[in-house]
Amino acid sequence: MVARAARAKKTWRIGHPVMLMVTMLAGACDGDDTTASSEQVIPAGNESADAAGSPSVQGTVSTPEGSSGTSSSTPSQAVVSPENTSPGASPVAPQSNAGGAPNTPPGSPNGEGGTGAGPTPNGAAGSGGTLPTPGATGTEPTPGPIGTEPSPGPDGSAPGVPEPGPVGNDATQLYKKYEDYFTIGAAVDSSSYRDAHAAIWTEHFNGAVAENEMKWASLQPTEGNFSMSQARAMVDAAVGNNMKVRGHVLVWFDQTPDWVFQGTKDEVLGRMRTHITRVMQEFKDSVYAWDVVNEAVIGYDANNQDVGEDLTSLDHWGYRDSRWYQIAGEDHIFEAFRAARAADPNAKLFYNDFWNYLDGKREFILSFVRRLKDEGLIDGIGLQCHLNISTTQESTTNQTAWQTVENLEKEIQEYAALGLDVHITELDISIYTRDYPSSDQSRWFTGDELTDELQDKLAARYKEFFDMFRRNADKIQNVTFWGIADDNTWLSEFTSGRPDHPLLFDKQLRPKKAFDAIMDF
């Protein structure tokens, strides 16, 4: 997810933004504006700029293509064929099979980028055929600058710990309304946990996650030099307000300094183990769940090129050809979970990704998650859920064509059936669809307050997903929003400059109709 130039957590490649604004209301999870990024030029943030106007990746770290050292093994990958079972759409991909060929680094979630180019990760498995059931995408905002360290409060209290929000009526506080269902979290940054947003954060949420401040580039920018004071202040603020804290993220292809990848496979994995151990032990008593590995799977065409958001040419799903993969193969995933389990045996360990509602992608993820589970190394799956106000209407092969409540519900149930916890980790709903690029200013909404029509559509979209979340409360333990209010969202930080309004509170920090909609039950 964005950069505030580096705040977006994901970098994406979207090869064919063929979209036209739609009627809005019917889709499913994980799709933010993204630009595809190949490991060849990996932006340190959510997106890399492209001709379509996707967000630029401005961050402290870039992950150039190529790796230092070679992979000592080429893991075989299970063949995963996309399925054509999603409601409402039945796009068909080319009938070819490229399993086992090297894979190209696919772009991250919804973006406006072009398709990825370059070899895909070794042994990306899968077979051609019909496309997976439509689902949603998610990308992570790239971390932005950490900012200044908070100062102690006037009474000598811990730095940056806001006063608890008013208790109020149980029925009017969001987390209180959902206390019998699941915890409700919000992502905060180095400012929002202690500025005007803090009053909303402490009143309506009982969960927290740092948007960028706990990523590798923020915590260990140079080897052996850990900088944890900002993250610690944010975690202390959350714990001081009785919130459950998720840690995000230990291993990711983006926002990881170049020095990490220098040397042999053993040296690189050794650095990874050291980082995971040091970070998890630092927050051992205050962070209950960790996204251990993030966004390690993407879709490829028959030539092992990243297909981006347009799934017309989707042939198979495989491991992202990140520098982690180039150097260590799938071992980097298993070693990350082993190190995390050893560092804090009591922490809940998650694999986090976008577009999980696509059947083929889910099956590939399960091909290694089942093995992790057999070793006792994983506890749950994080579904990012960067959604859109509607599925696409013109482009029936864009990944958001599968972004439906039904498809997301199916994914939740499939993962839960394996005994895995399910967390909705980065929820927001863009007021735009994927029928057109973010650079198309004729589609922009530039007012500070949404029209009644947009408010109603956004509210209806939120309501249908939350109705489903409550139906599956026995399977979902947490729902976290990727931000607090519309004045501070990574979706408004693309290089195109397009403003968005994806959260429950508006730019004046007032509750929107969407807030009322998910409270009305």
Side-chain angles (χ1 to χ4, degrees):
M1 205 129 126
V2 181
R4 266 124 171 115
R7 228 182 109 174
K9 308 179 347 180
K10 315 162 185 194
T11 46
W12 317 296
R13 258 198 197 327
I14 297 144
H16 312 292
V18 219
M19 324 169 197
L20 208 146
M21 184 134 209
V22 322
T23 42
M24 324 187 173
L25 281 306
C29 172
D30 274 352
D32 20 269
D33 224 348
T34 48
T35 12
S37 62
S38 66
E39 236 55 33
Q40 303 181 337
V41 184
I42 293 187
N46 260 5
E47 319 68 38
S48 39
D50 67 339
S54 353
S56 72
V57 192
Q58 308 172 19
T60 41
V61 182
S62 67
T63 4
E65 176 178 49
S67 62
S68 305
T70 57
S71 172
S72 61
S73 65
T74 303
S76 61
Q77 306 179 26
V79 175
V80 179
S81 304
E83 299 175 12
N84 178 24
T85 57
S86 67
S90 56
V92 177
Q95 306 288 321
S96 57
N97 185 348
N103 296 323
T104 298
S108 324
N110 308 323
E112 242 91 68
T115 55
T120 38
N122 298 330
S127 60
T130 54
L131 290 180
T133 307
T137 129
T139 44
E140 294 187 359
T142 307
I146 293 183
T148 57
E149 298 294 341
S151 330
D155 59 351
S157 57
V161 180
E163 290 298 318
V167 175
N169 184 300
D170 285 355
T172 64
Q173 289 176 279
L174 183 59
Y175 81 88
K176 283 284 191 180
K177 188 74 173 179
Y178 280 85
E179 63 184 355
D180 293 330
Y181 295 89
F182 34 72
T183 55
I184 300 286
V188 290
D189 62 22
S190 59
S191 296
S192 62
Y193 80 101
R194 59 194 175 95
D195 62 17
H197 299 84
I200 298 175
W201 184 48
T202 56
E203 179 176 359
H204 290 289
F205 300 93
N206 61 350
V209 63
E211 188 173 3
N212 294 297
E213 290 76 6
M214 294 180 81
K215 292 172 183 171
W216 194 313
S218 296
L219 294 182
Q220 193 186 181
T222 58
E223 188 162 14
N225 296 313
F226 288 86
S227 177
M228 302 198 195
S229 57
Q230 178 64 74
R232 169 52 68 189
M234 295 167 72
V235 169
D236 286 349
V239 172
N241 281 282
N242 300 313
M243 296 182 184
K244 299 187 71 172
V245 182
R246 300 189 82 258
H248 178 80
V249 52
L250 296 170
V251 175
W252 186 30
F253 72 89
D254 203 355
Q255 291 190 70
T256 304
D258 184 67
W259 61 263
V260 175
F261 303 105
Q262 306 307 309
T264 66
K265 173 182 176 179
D266 286 344
E267 289 172 327
V268 171
L269 290 180
R271 291 189 190 105
M272 180 186 74
R273 294 186 194 101
T274 297
H275 180 83
I276 290 173
T277 301
R278 177 73 178 82
V279 171
M280 289 188 68
Q281 289 183 346
E282 168 70 23
F283 297 102
K284 190 170 185 176
D285 297 325
S286 41
V287 173
Y288 83 104
W290 284 92
D291 291 331
V292 179
V293 177
N294 189 47
E295 300 175 358
V297 175
I298 58 165
Y300 297 100
D301 64 17
N303 296 314
N304 293 315
Q305 303 298 304
D306 168 25
V307 299
E309 281 200 52
D310 190 330
L311 303 185
T312 303
S313 60
L314 177 67
D315 181 74
H316 61 275
W317 296 92
Y319 288 117
R320 180 186 295 276
D321 191 31
S322 66
R323 297 183 76 185
W324 287 114
Y325 188 84
Q326 292 165 7
I327 295 169
E330 73 170 6
D331 287 351
H332 82 277
I333 296 174
F334 283 78
E335 289 304 310
F337 276 91
R338 289 176 185 130
R341 185 63 86 204
D344 185 356
N346 295 319
K348 293 276 192 176
L349 306 182
F350 284 73
Y351 173 73
N352 190 53
D353 214 325
F354 54 84
W355 304 356
N356 305 99
Y357 47 86
L358 295 172
D359 289 345
K361 181 167 185 176
R362 179 196 69 237
E363 289 307 309
F364 186 84
I365 289 173
L366 286 175
S367 72
F368 63 85
V369 165
R370 286 190 182 97
R371 288 180 286 146
L372 287 169
K373 192 170 186 301
D374 288 344
E375 284 192 45
L377 299 176
I378 191 170
D379 300 296
I381 293 290
L383 308 182
Q384 291 180 6
C385 291
H386 291 288
L387 306 178
N388 297 84
I389 200 165
S390 171
T391 56
T392 54
Q393 304 298 298
E394 291 283 320
S395 175
T396 58
T397 55
N398 179 275
Q399 52 80 21
T400 57
W402 287 266
Q403 197 186 93
T404 66
V405 170
E406 294 76 17
N407 285 336
L408 180 56
E409 184 168 27
K410 177 182 178 183
E411 303 306 303
I412 291 169
Q413 293 173 350
E414 292 281 348
Y415 285 120
L418 292 180
L420 296 167
D421 288 353
V422 176
H423 286 192
I424 306 302
T425 56
E426 303 175 26
L427 178 63
D428 50 28
I429 300 182
S430 171
I431 63 169
Y432 303 101
T433 67
R434 305 300 302 165
D435 292 297
Y436 44 85
S438 64
S439 57
D440 183 355
Q441 296 189 25
S442 68
R443 307 283 187 174
W444 290 9
F445 177 82
T446 56
D448 282 340
E449 297 185 23
L450 293 180
T451 62
D452 286 342
E453 180 184 11
L454 281 174
Q455 283 257 24
D456 290 343
K457 289 179 177 179
L458 185 65
R461 187 76 158 149
Y462 263 113
K463 177 176 172 51
E464 64 178 354
F465 279 104
F466 267 83
D467 286 350
M468 182 270 285
F469 293 158
R470 291 195 306 276
R471 285 199 301 272
N472 292 277
D474 60 328
K475 304 171 183 67
I476 299 171
Q477 295 76 37
N478 170 266
V479 174
T480 292
F481 290 84
W482 205 246
I484 296 172
D486 292 340
D487 65 324
N488 186 11
T489 168
W490 72 278
L491 286 174
S492 292
E493 294 166 354
F494 291 94
T495 52
S496 65
R498 184 178 72 178
D500 211 330
H501 303 254
L503 299 165
L504 299 183
F505 295 85
D506 66 18
K507 292 183 177 181
Q508 287 72 44
L509 311 187
R510 299 170 304 194
K512 292 153 59 175
K513 289 184 178 180
F515 176 87
D516 297 334
I518 68 172
M519 293 286 284
D520 185 18
F521 66 91

